[in-house]
Amino acid sequence: MAQMWGNVGPRVAQLSPLERVRLRRVAVRYAIHGWEVTPGACLARSRFVCGRAGCPTVGCHPALENWE
């Protein structure tokens, strides 16, 4: 799982180490309950940015194209 997360495009949100640990803990908790977990696009001004060139989606969406 850690390698997949490393393939996400540019990081817009700068998270503190504590915030990263907290988000990782929550993601693992959801995964344990059988929920799909994938990196999401980061909010940059008025749109969400995933790092994929030419991505037309401006709302909240997965950061990976083939996340399923």
Side-chain angles (χ1 to χ4, degrees):
M1 178 167 51
Q3 286 183 339
M4 179 181 78
W5 288 58
N7 294 332
V8 176
R11 304 223 172 11
V12 176
Q14 296 298 320
L15 300 175
S16 73
L18 182 60
E19 290 170 317
R20 293 176 67 80
V21 168
R22 193 178 114 230
L23 287 173
R24 184 175 294 119
R25 187 178 304 146
V26 171
V28 169
R29 189 177 314 144
Y30 285 147
I32 288 171
H33 289 290
W35 290 27
E36 298 291 329
V37 178
T38 186
C42 298
L43 185 60
R45 297 190 184 151
S46 62
R47 70 176 278 149
F48 284 84
V49 178
C50 65
R52 295 191 315 250
C55 181
T57 307
V58 297
C60 187
H61 63 285
L64 304 173
E65 189 171 0
N66 297 317
W67 64 272
E68 298 91 3

